Amino acid sequence: MWPVYFNTEEGWMICMTGTKGLGSRRNLCRIDLKSKSKIWERDVKSAQEFEMSTKLNDSTLLFVGNGLYSVDINNGEGWRLETNMQEISNENYGLYSLVSSVRVCSNPFVDGSDIYIAGIKRLIKTDRNGKELWHARLPEQKTSISRLFATEDYLLMVNMGFAPHSYSFYYTYLGKWGKPFLAAYDKKTGKNVYMHERKKYVDYIKDVEFRDDDALFLLFADKEGHQSVERYQANTGALMGRKEVAPVVIQSSGSMNAFVGSDVCVKKDNKFVHLVEMDTVGVYVVCDNGVLHLDGGLKSTDFISFNDLFVYNGKYGDLRFYSHGKETVVVDGEDREVATLDFPDVFCTESQIYSIKDKSLYVINKEQLY
């Protein structure tokens, strides 16, 4: 039994039950954390582990297994929409041959009353009751892990070119799978509008960032060390700008890994400013040694060391917490630094502040921080 969703305030969790291994059959159940009793159990008829995706409403959760599954938290009931999201691969290593299970799917994308998900062979649109509205065929030999987004008229699919390979329940790694491409589909009909596949200097799309102005930024890389950031117009697929980062820059910054989220900050004029607010048209990319900043035209770059970066880690009352290396800086409502904690992360509940360090759980006295 292992958890896939929990609600600590109400004191319950939803778990998967079954044998941990490839091909084993699994069920879902809800456990009351106080009485340790089973409230309900549902046979989901899945040989794959479940991942919590999103909440459709206050009482309905959406999970991804071998397809989509809705679960009513009160009784476990719900619909399922099956589609193939698992491929068996025979991998040869000289004299040895290993069989692995490869996970090929997208994030479920909820757009109003519609839900979209991509598997190995199909991109599917369904309503909130699990009724299939249309499906589009996908290039089976190219499809991998993918990310879905939407404009007003089109569903966008960014195929990443890699997927998780599992030799057992305990050992999984991300490996090359399929071909990276960018595609768009008409949301009403499922008709493919365009599909662009880059064939030179690219093995993976390492990350994607979608903007409100229908701009897509893609981070490409190949096994030879080439790395580039490209900007596309989502509705047409037109390439708007491209920057292949020079090897000398990568030697200094380290390999580019992902676009920066909204929680990364720098300290400017004694205030913590989020990077995405400093340049709303450019992009920031997390590298091995810090963050690389590219301007809106993808022409020039500058580098910010990890020593100058802070990560927003939540708040407690009027206190805000910023992780900085192995420490956490505590700031009050007037941007004054009131404490520095010898912990890289903190976790806040309504009544306590916690941290974990050296395999020990610490309770932090919140009164001493004010």
Side-chain angles (χ1 to χ4, degrees), residues 104-144:
V104 180
C105 67
S106 71
N107 60 302
F109 184 81
V110 180
D111 186 24
S113 60
D114 302 318
I115 304 170
Y116 302 86
I117 192 165
I120 294 176
K121 299 180 180 181
R122 300 194 302 163
L123 169 65
I124 300 174
K125 176 181 178 179
T126 178
D127 63 18
R128 287 184 175 240
N129 296 315
K131 178 183 178 182
E132 183 177 316
L133 302 177
W134 56 251
H135 73 265
R137 301 295 297 181
L138 295 173
E140 191 173 339
Q141 300 302 314
K142 298 179 180 180
T143 306
S144 64

Side-chain angles (χ1 to χ4, degrees), residues 202-213:
V202 57
D203 289 310
Y204 313 96
I205 297 176
K206 300 183 78 173
D207 198 14
V208 53
E209 181 176 303
F210 181 55
R211 299 280 179 87
D212 291 337
D213 59 355

Side-chain angles (χ1 to χ4, degrees), residues 206-352:
K206 300 183 78 173
D207 198 14
V208 53
E209 181 176 303
F210 181 55
R211 299 280 179 87
D212 291 337
D213 59 355
D214 294 340
L216 273 170
F217 289 90
L218 304 181
L219 175 57
F220 289 95
D222 73 358
K223 297 176 183 177
E224 303 300 321
H226 299 94
Q227 290 195 299
S228 63
V229 177
E230 302 185 5
R231 177 176 179 169
Y232 291 83
Q233 210 290 322
N235 283 318
T236 63
L239 177 64
M240 308 300 291
R242 180 174 184 266
K243 175 69 174 181
E244 181 163 346
V245 179
V248 65
V249 175
I250 293 178
Q251 287 178 2
S252 176
S253 67
S255 177
M256 297 192 296
N257 300 309
F259 292 109
V260 167
S262 59
D263 54 349
V264 181
C265 308
V266 292
K267 195 173 181 182
K268 188 175 182 180
D269 298 329
N270 292 322
K271 292 186 177 182
F272 290 90
V273 182
H274 294 257
L275 288 182
V276 294
E277 297 175 354
M278 293 180 59
D279 183 357
T280 58
V281 295
V283 292
Y284 295 88
V285 184
V286 179
C287 304
D288 293 339
N289 303 322
V291 168
L292 194 66
H293 171 225
L294 292 83
D295 67 0
L298 302 183
K299 300 296 184 182
S300 62
T301 63
D302 58 87
F303 181 71
I304 308 172
S305 169
F306 280 136
N307 294 330
D308 299 320
L309 294 171
F310 299 80
V311 179
Y312 176 66
N313 198 19
K315 63 180 182 179
Y316 184 92
D318 65 345
L319 297 178
R320 304 192 308 278
F321 301 93
Y322 294 89
S323 297
H324 183 62
K326 296 182 179 180
E327 298 179 333
T328 295
V329 178
V330 185
V331 179
D332 66 12
E334 299 179 1
D335 288 316
R336 294 176 300 191
E337 295 184 20
V338 296
T340 299
L341 307 177
D342 191 23
F343 303 103
D345 297 292
V346 294
F347 310 91
C348 301
T349 68
E350 292 183 358
S351 58
Q352 297 288 356

Side-chain angles (χ1 to χ4, degrees), residues 6 32 39 128 149 170 229 232 256 290 302 350 364 370:
F6 53 87
D32 184 276
I39 300 174
R128 287 184 175 240
F149 306 89
Y170 301 97
V229 177
Y232 291 83
M256 297 192 296
D302 58 87
E350 292 183 358
I364 299 168
Y370 285 91

